[in-house]
PDB file of all heavy atoms in Angstrom:
ATOM      1  N   ALA S 338     -27.300  -1.497  12.490  1.00 95.00           N
ATOM      2  CA  ALA S 338     -26.046  -1.953  13.117  1.00 95.00           C
ATOM      3  C   ALA S 338     -24.882  -1.016  12.793  1.00 95.00           C
ATOM      4  O   ALA S 338     -24.047  -0.732  13.657  1.00 95.00           O
ATOM      5  CB  ALA S 338     -25.728  -3.372  12.671  1.00 95.00           C
ATOM      6  N   ASP S 339     -24.795  -0.537  11.544  1.00 96.00           N
ATOM      7  CA  ASP S 339     -23.691   0.360  11.170  1.00 96.00           C
ATOM      8  C   ASP S 339     -23.780   1.680  11.922  1.00 96.00           C
ATOM      9  O   ASP S 339     -22.762   2.206  12.379  1.00 96.00           O
ATOM     10  CB  ASP S 339     -23.699   0.620   9.653  1.00 96.00           C
ATOM     11  CG  ASP S 339     -23.209  -0.598   8.878  1.00 96.00           C
ATOM     12  OD1 ASP S 339     -22.405  -1.382   9.424  1.00 96.00           O
ATOM     13  OD2 ASP S 339     -23.635  -0.769   7.719  1.00 96.00           O
ATOM     14  N   ALA S 340     -24.982   2.221  12.022  1.00 97.00           N
ATOM     15  CA  ALA S 340     -25.145   3.486  12.738  1.00 97.00           C
ATOM     16  C   ALA S 340     -24.830   3.300  14.225  1.00 97.00           C
ATOM     17  O   ALA S 340     -24.214   4.165  14.858  1.00 97.00           O
ATOM     18  CB  ALA S 340     -26.561   4.019  12.544  1.00 97.00           C
ATOM     19  N   ARG S 341     -25.247   2.172  14.778  1.00 97.00           N
ATOM     20  CA  ARG S 341     -24.941   1.898  16.187  1.00 97.00           C
ATOM     21  C   ARG S 341     -23.426   1.815  16.403  1.00 97.00           C
ATOM     22  O   ARG S 341     -22.898   2.333  17.401  1.00 97.00           O
ATOM     23  CB  ARG S 341     -25.591   0.590  16.631  1.00 97.00           C
ATOM     24  CG  ARG S 341     -27.102   0.669  16.815  1.00 97.00           C
ATOM     25  CD  ARG S 341     -27.678  -0.696  17.269  1.00 97.00           C
ATOM     26  NE  ARG S 341     -27.112  -1.099  18.550  1.00 97.00           N
ATOM     27  CZ  ARG S 341     -27.570  -0.681  19.729  1.00 97.00           C
ATOM     28  NH1 ARG S 341     -28.601   0.154  19.791  1.00 97.00           N
ATOM     29  NH2 ARG S 341     -27.025  -1.115  20.847  1.00 97.00           N
ATOM     30  N   LEU S 342     -22.739   1.182  15.463  1.00 97.00           N
ATOM     31  CA  LEU S 342     -21.284   1.059  15.582  1.00 97.00           C
ATOM     32  C   LEU S 342     -20.616   2.444  15.520  1.00 97.00           C
ATOM     33  O   LEU S 342     -19.649   2.702  16.249  1.00 97.00           O
ATOM     34  CB  LEU S 342     -20.755   0.157  14.471  1.00 97.00           C
ATOM     35  CG  LEU S 342     -19.424  -0.574  14.723  1.00 97.00           C
ATOM     36  CD1 LEU S 342     -19.479  -1.407  15.988  1.00 97.00           C
ATOM     37  CD2 LEU S 342     -19.073  -1.429  13.524  1.00 97.00           C
ATOM     38  N   ALA S 343     -21.125   3.314  14.645  1.00 97.00           N
ATOM     39  CA  ALA S 343     -20.579   4.664  14.548  1.00 97.00           C
ATOM     40  C   ALA S 343     -20.778   5.413  15.862  1.00 97.00           C
ATOM     41  O   ALA S 343     -19.899   6.175  16.304  1.00 97.00           O
ATOM     42  CB  ALA S 343     -21.250   5.420  13.402  1.00 97.00           C
ATOM     43  N   MET S 344     -21.937   5.214  16.509  1.00 97.00           N
ATOM     44  CA  MET S 344     -22.189   5.865  17.795  1.00 97.00           C
ATOM     45  C   MET S 344     -21.289   5.317  18.880  1.00 97.00           C
ATOM     46  O   MET S 344     -20.810   6.056  19.744  1.00 97.00           O
ATOM     47  CB  MET S 344     -23.668   5.698  18.159  1.00 97.00           C
ATOM     48  CG  MET S 344     -24.616   6.454  17.229  1.00 97.00           C
ATOM     49  SD  MET S 344     -26.361   5.994  17.448  1.00 97.00           S
ATOM     50  CE  MET S 344     -27.121   6.811  16.030  1.00 97.00           C
ATOM     51  N   ARG S 345     -21.038   4.005  18.836  1.00 97.00           N
ATOM     52  CA  ARG S 345     -20.092   3.407  19.782  1.00 97.00           C
ATOM     53  C   ARG S 345     -18.693   4.008  19.587  1.00 97.00           C
ATOM     54  O   ARG S 345     -17.981   4.290  20.552  1.00 97.00           O
ATOM     55  CB  ARG S 345     -20.028   1.895  19.565  1.00 97.00           C
ATOM     56  CG  ARG S 345     -21.302   1.136  19.879  1.00 97.00           C
ATOM     57  CD  ARG S 345     -21.575   1.081  21.369  1.00 97.00           C
ATOM     58  NE  ARG S 345     -22.643   0.138  21.694  1.00 97.00           N
ATOM     59  CZ  ARG S 345     -23.155  -0.014  22.905  1.00 97.00           C
ATOM     60  NH1 ARG S 345     -22.708   0.721  23.924  1.00 97.00           N
ATOM     61  NH2 ARG S 345     -24.119  -0.881  23.127  1.00 97.00           N
ATOM     62  N   TYR S 346     -18.298   4.160  18.328  1.00 97.00           N
ATOM     63  CA  TYR S 346     -17.001   4.775  18.025  1.00 97.00           C
ATOM     64  C   TYR S 346     -16.915   6.179  18.614  1.00 97.00           C
ATOM     65  O   TYR S 346     -15.920   6.556  19.238  1.00 97.00           O
ATOM     66  CB  TYR S 346     -16.774   4.825  16.516  1.00 97.00           C
ATOM     67  CG  TYR S 346     -15.843   5.929  16.079  1.00 97.00           C
ATOM     68  CD1 TYR S 346     -14.462   5.817  16.245  1.00 97.00           C
ATOM     69  CD2 TYR S 346     -16.348   7.120  15.552  1.00 97.00           C
ATOM     70  CE1 TYR S 346     -13.619   6.845  15.883  1.00 97.00           C
ATOM     71  CE2 TYR S 346     -15.512   8.150  15.188  1.00 97.00           C
ATOM     72  CZ  TYR S 346     -14.142   8.016  15.357  1.00 97.00           C
ATOM     73  OH  TYR S 346     -13.305   9.047  15.013  1.00 97.00           O
ATOM     74  N   ALA S 347     -17.978   6.972  18.407  1.00 97.00           N
ATOM     75  CA  ALA S 347     -17.980   8.354  18.904  1.00 97.00           C
ATOM     76  C   ALA S 347     -17.815   8.381  20.422  1.00 97.00           C
ATOM     77  O   ALA S 347     -17.018   9.167  20.960  1.00 97.00           O
ATOM     78  CB  ALA S 347     -19.270   9.047  18.491  1.00 97.00           C
ATOM     79  N   LEU S 348     -18.549   7.529  21.114  1.00 96.00           N
ATOM     80  CA  LEU S 348     -18.467   7.501  22.569  1.00 96.00           C
ATOM     81  C   LEU S 348     -17.106   6.963  23.043  1.00 96.00           C
ATOM     82  O   LEU S 348     -16.542   7.462  24.026  1.00 96.00           O
ATOM     83  CB  LEU S 348     -19.609   6.653  23.140  1.00 96.00           C
ATOM     84  CG  LEU S 348     -21.013   7.259  22.936  1.00 96.00           C
ATOM     85  CD1 LEU S 348     -22.092   6.241  23.265  1.00 96.00           C
ATOM     86  CD2 LEU S 348     -21.194   8.520  23.779  1.00 96.00           C
ATOM     87  N   ALA S 349     -16.560   5.977  22.335  1.00 96.00           N
ATOM     88  CA  ALA S 349     -15.235   5.461  22.705  1.00 96.00           C
ATOM     89  C   ALA S 349     -14.174   6.525  22.528  1.00 96.00           C
ATOM     90  O   ALA S 349     -13.207   6.588  23.302  1.00 96.00           O
ATOM     91  CB  ALA S 349     -14.897   4.237  21.842  1.00 96.00           C
ATOM     92  N   ASN S 350     -14.354   7.368  21.533  1.00 95.00           N
ATOM     93  CA  ASN S 350     -13.398   8.462  21.295  1.00 95.00           C
ATOM     94  C   ASN S 350     -13.482   9.525  22.369  1.00 95.00           C
ATOM     95  O   ASN S 350     -12.625  10.405  22.450  1.00 95.00           O
ATOM     96  CB  ASN S 350     -13.628   9.084  19.920  1.00 95.00           C
ATOM     97  CG  ASN S 350     -12.372   9.719  19.358  1.00 95.00           C
ATOM     98  OD1 ASN S 350     -11.257   9.423  19.802  1.00 95.00           O
ATOM     99  ND2 ASN S 350     -12.547  10.582  18.379  1.00 95.00           N
ATOM    100  N   MET S 351     -14.526   9.430  23.185  1.00 93.00           N
ATOM    101  CA  MET S 351     -14.670  10.353  24.313  1.00 93.00           C
ATOM    102  C   MET S 351     -14.515   9.580  25.623  1.00 93.00           C
ATOM    103  O   MET S 351     -15.169   9.873  26.624  1.00 93.00           O
ATOM    104  CB  MET S 351     -16.010  11.095  24.207  1.00 93.00           C
ATOM    105  CG  MET S 351     -16.029  12.071  23.035  1.00 93.00           C
ATOM    106  SD  MET S 351     -17.538  13.067  22.894  1.00 93.00           S
ATOM    107  CE  MET S 351     -18.498  12.086  21.753  1.00 93.00           C
ATOM    108  N   ASP S 352     -13.629   8.538  25.559  1.00 85.00           N
ATOM    109  CA  ASP S 352     -13.190   7.789  26.742  1.00 85.00           C
ATOM    110  C   ASP S 352     -14.277   6.973  27.415  1.00 85.00           C
ATOM    111  O   ASP S 352     -14.281   6.838  28.645  1.00 85.00           O
ATOM    112  CB  ASP S 352     -12.533   8.734  27.767  1.00 85.00           C
ATOM    113  CG  ASP S 352     -11.276   9.380  27.211  1.00 85.00           C
ATOM    114  OD1 ASP S 352     -10.539   8.685  26.490  1.00 85.00           O
ATOM    115  OD2 ASP S 352     -11.040  10.573  27.479  1.00 85.00           O
ATOM    116  N   ARG S 353     -15.168   6.410  26.639  1.00 85.00           N
ATOM    117  CA  ARG S 353     -16.193   5.534  27.209  1.00 85.00           C
ATOM    118  C   ARG S 353     -15.744   4.079  27.033  1.00 85.00           C
ATOM    119  O   ARG S 353     -15.792   3.530  25.932  1.00 85.00           O
ATOM    120  CB  ARG S 353     -17.539   5.791  26.521  1.00 85.00           C
ATOM    121  CG  ARG S 353     -18.096   7.189  26.782  1.00 85.00           C
ATOM    122  CD  ARG S 353     -18.636   7.255  28.202  1.00 85.00           C
ATOM    123  NE  ARG S 353     -19.716   6.269  28.329  1.00 85.00           N
ATOM    124  CZ  ARG S 353     -20.998   6.578  28.112  1.00 85.00           C
ATOM    125  NH1 ARG S 353     -21.355   7.820  27.832  1.00 85.00           N
ATOM    126  NH2 ARG S 353     -21.930   5.651  28.228  1.00 85.00           N
ATOM    127  N   GLN S 354     -15.315   3.428  28.120  1.00 83.00           N
ATOM    128  CA  GLN S 354     -14.723   2.095  28.051  1.00 83.00           C
ATOM    129  C   GLN S 354     -15.718   1.036  27.599  1.00 83.00           C
ATOM    130  O   GLN S 354     -15.371   0.121  26.843  1.00 83.00           O
ATOM    131  CB  GLN S 354     -14.158   1.717  29.419  1.00 83.00           C
ATOM    132  CG  GLN S 354     -13.293   0.468  29.432  1.00 83.00           C
ATOM    133  CD  GLN S 354     -11.980   0.656  28.653  1.00 83.00           C
ATOM    134  OE1 GLN S 354     -11.486   1.767  28.525  1.00 83.00           O
ATOM    135  NE2 GLN S 354     -11.447  -0.439  28.115  1.00 83.00           N
ATOM    136  N   ASN S 355     -16.980   1.140  28.017  1.00 88.00           N
ATOM    137  CA  ASN S 355     -17.978   0.152  27.618  1.00 88.00           C
ATOM    138  C   ASN S 355     -18.182   0.145  26.102  1.00 88.00           C
ATOM    139  O   ASN S 355     -18.433  -0.909  25.497  1.00 88.00           O
ATOM    140  CB  ASN S 355     -19.312   0.413  28.315  1.00 88.00           C
ATOM    141  CG  ASN S 355     -19.266   0.046  29.794  1.00 88.00           C
ATOM    142  OD1 ASN S 355     -18.379  -0.679  30.227  1.00 88.00           O
ATOM    143  ND2 ASN S 355     -20.222   0.568  30.554  1.00 88.00           N
ATOM    144  N   ASP S 356     -18.081   1.312  25.516  1.00 92.00           N
ATOM    145  CA  ASP S 356     -18.267   1.409  24.066  1.00 92.00           C
ATOM    146  C   ASP S 356     -17.043   0.885  23.320  1.00 92.00           C
ATOM    147  O   ASP S 356     -17.170   0.362  22.208  1.00 92.00           O
ATOM    148  CB  ASP S 356     -18.587   2.855  23.686  1.00 92.00           C
ATOM    149  CG  ASP S 356     -19.897   3.317  24.305  1.00 92.00           C
ATOM    150  OD1 ASP S 356     -20.959   2.875  23.828  1.00 92.00           O
ATOM    151  OD2 ASP S 356     -19.854   4.067  25.301  1.00 92.00           O
ATOM    152  N   LEU S 357     -15.872   1.011  23.935  1.00 94.00           N
ATOM    153  CA  LEU S 357     -14.675   0.382  23.356  1.00 94.00           C
ATOM    154  C   LEU S 357     -14.860  -1.128  23.333  1.00 94.00           C
ATOM    155  O   LEU S 357     -14.529  -1.794  22.340  1.00 94.00           O
ATOM    156  CB  LEU S 357     -13.437   0.775  24.168  1.00 94.00           C
ATOM    157  CG  LEU S 357     -12.139   0.068  23.757  1.00 94.00           C
ATOM    158  CD1 LEU S 357     -11.791   0.371  22.308  1.00 94.00           C
ATOM    159  CD2 LEU S 357     -11.006   0.479  24.688  1.00 94.00           C
ATOM    160  N   GLN S 358     -15.386  -1.675  24.393  1.00 94.00           N
ATOM    161  CA  GLN S 358     -15.651  -3.108  24.462  1.00 94.00           C
ATOM    162  C   GLN S 358     -16.578  -3.545  23.319  1.00 94.00           C
ATOM    163  O   GLN S 358     -16.352  -4.577  22.674  1.00 94.00           O
ATOM    164  CB  GLN S 358     -16.305  -3.454  25.804  1.00 94.00           C
ATOM    165  CG  GLN S 358     -16.802  -4.883  25.936  1.00 94.00           C
ATOM    166  CD  GLN S 358     -15.685  -5.883  26.159  1.00 94.00           C
ATOM    167  OE1 GLN S 358     -15.014  -5.839  27.183  1.00 94.00           O
ATOM    168  NE2 GLN S 358     -15.491  -6.784  25.198  1.00 94.00           N
ATOM    169  N   ALA S 359     -17.593  -2.734  23.031  1.00 95.00           N
ATOM    170  CA  ALA S 359     -18.532  -3.061  21.955  1.00 95.00           C
ATOM    171  C   ALA S 359     -17.828  -3.046  20.592  1.00 95.00           C
ATOM    172  O   ALA S 359     -18.115  -3.889  19.723  1.00 95.00           O
ATOM    173  CB  ALA S 359     -19.694  -2.074  21.959  1.00 95.00           C
ATOM    174  N   LEU S 360     -16.904  -2.102  20.403  1.00 96.00           N
ATOM    175  CA  LEU S 360     -16.156  -2.045  19.151  1.00 96.00           C
ATOM    176  C   LEU S 360     -15.269  -3.284  18.990  1.00 96.00           C
ATOM    177  O   LEU S 360     -15.200  -3.875  17.908  1.00 96.00           O
ATOM    178  CB  LEU S 360     -15.280  -0.785  19.104  1.00 96.00           C
ATOM    179  CG  LEU S 360     -15.937   0.545  18.754  1.00 96.00           C
ATOM    180  CD1 LEU S 360     -14.910   1.659  18.785  1.00 96.00           C
ATOM    181  CD2 LEU S 360     -16.603   0.493  17.382  1.00 96.00           C
ATOM    182  N   VAL S 361     -14.596  -3.658  20.068  1.00 96.00           N
ATOM    183  CA  VAL S 361     -13.731  -4.847  20.016  1.00 96.00           C
ATOM    184  C   VAL S 361     -14.556  -6.095  19.740  1.00 96.00           C
ATOM    185  O   VAL S 361     -14.175  -6.941  18.920  1.00 96.00           O
ATOM    186  CB  VAL S 361     -12.934  -4.984  21.328  1.00 96.00           C
ATOM    187  CG1 VAL S 361     -12.182  -6.320  21.350  1.00 96.00           C
ATOM    188  CG2 VAL S 361     -11.967  -3.823  21.494  1.00 96.00           C
TER     189      VAL S 361
END
Side-chain angles (χ1 to χ4, degrees):
D339 286 332
R341 287 180 61 83
L342 205 56
M344 293 168 190
R345 294 289 191 186
Y346 154 77
L348 293 168
N350 206 18
M351 291 183 266
D352 297 322
R353 295 285 299 268
Q354 191 67 26
N355 287 343
D356 297 287
L357 174 60
Q358 172 76 65
L360 281 179
V361 172

